[in-house]
Amino acid sequence: MTGAPGFGQSLGLDTLVRLKRDRRSSLAGGGGSFPVPEGMTAPLGCDAVAVPARLGPLVTPRLPRVGCVYADGTHWWWIVPSDSDDALPWPAPARYSPGAPLPGTARLIHRPEGTLPYTPPIPLYLALCRVTGTTPEWSRPLSA
């Protein structure tokens, strides 16, 4: 059966995730054109985490795997799977960008081996917390 689900039908998790990604991409102006180099695939969609350029060289050595990284004179952007911000507030001054919109001045400065462009988001988050002196969200005391 094709088309929209009718009465008594339910949407599967894959469909719900795809719909959320499509909505976020259109809201971000991503329109599905991700900054993925030729020969790479992005089966999980693409978002980006931007940091000031001065932090880039401090973060990279702390990562077990570095995916595609783009840079211009002011920022570095790591490509992460879509929705890597769910329940995860990235530490300032990092900015999370759904749909991975990059300025036209950004150039690829690191391309990983293989076909996947992703930097694993949890190690990236922890590295950013470390270099910014931020306590990871899950380590903070609960408010009463």
Side-chain angles (χ1 to χ4, degrees):
M1 179 177 270
T2 61
F7 183 75
Q9 290 181 310
S10 61
L11 296 174
L13 183 58
D14 290 341
T15 302
L16 292 172
V17 169
R18 181 184 50 77
L19 289 171
K20 182 178 179 184
R21 284 186 190 144
D22 290 349
R23 182 176 173 272
R24 288 180 68 183
S25 179
S26 66
L27 289 174
S33 60
F34 305 116
V36 177
E38 183 78 26
M40 298 191 101
T41 61
L44 302 175
C46 288
D47 289 348
V49 177
V51 300
R54 65 182 166 74
L55 297 179
L58 302 174
V59 171
T60 301
R62 298 176 184 274
L63 298 171
R65 179 186 191 282
V66 178
C68 288
V69 180
Y70 291 80
D72 64 10
T74 60
H75 289 89
W76 284 28
W77 291 266
W78 280 269
I79 302 302
V80 295
S82 291
D83 301 322
S84 293
D85 64 333
D86 277 355
L88 190 64
W90 289 79
R95 277 185 329 210
Y96 190 87
S97 300
L102 300 177
T105 56
R107 300 289 176 249
L108 184 67
I109 62 169
H110 183 267
R111 179 190 169 130
E113 295 290 324
T115 60
L116 297 176
Y118 307 120
T119 295
I122 297 300
L124 178 58
Y125 172 83
L126 291 172
L128 286 168
C129 284
R130 181 73 171 186
V131 302
T132 61
T134 303
T135 302
E137 184 69 19
W138 54 77
S139 296
R140 295 182 185 157
L142 296 174
S143 299

